[in-house]
Amino acid sequence: MPEHPSDAALRAEILRIAEQRGPDKTLCPSDAARSIGGESWRDLMPAARRIAFELAGEGQVDVTQHGEPVEPDARGPIRIRRREPRGSA
């Protein structure tokens, strides 16, 4: 097993957790980092935040603070929420 999980593994874990929780619940990037990073999960946090914003740019998730969408330069804690599929609700 590699010392650090790949970006692809982190991306897949973010999407897996977001899908599991659904569009009404959020996750912290640390949830995915902890899930696959073991003792070194903190080292994955910059990549987890970057990947969250990449996924938001692709329209797969929303990245928020206090329930409001934020831009990639946002500072402080962020939350990730699976985006509702178009045409639903």
Side-chain angles (χ1 to χ4, degrees):
M1 184 169 159
E3 186 174 317
H4 292 289
S6 68
D7 281 4
L10 191 51
R11 175 187 172 95
E13 187 65 3
I14 290 170
L15 289 171
R16 184 192 70 76
I17 295 170
E19 180 66 27
Q20 179 184 41
R21 294 190 181 174
D24 296 330
K25 302 220 177 188
T26 63
L27 68 131
C28 179
S30 68
D31 294 333
R34 287 175 201 257
S35 178
I36 66 170
E39 297 276 328
S40 61
W41 69 268
R42 285 180 182 84
D43 295 341
L44 297 176
M45 286 303 294
R49 286 180 65 99
R50 176 179 46 78
I51 291 166
F53 284 107
E54 289 172 3
L55 290 168
E58 295 169 10
Q60 296 192 58
V61 301
D62 293 316
V63 178
T64 65
Q65 283 181 331
H66 306 291
E68 297 297 321
V70 292
E71 296 296 318
D73 61 353
R75 298 176 60 92
I78 60 171
R79 302 295 295 182
I80 304 164
R81 176 180 57 226
R82 183 176 65 89
R83 192 171 286 176
E84 283 276 5
R86 290 188 183 256
S88 62

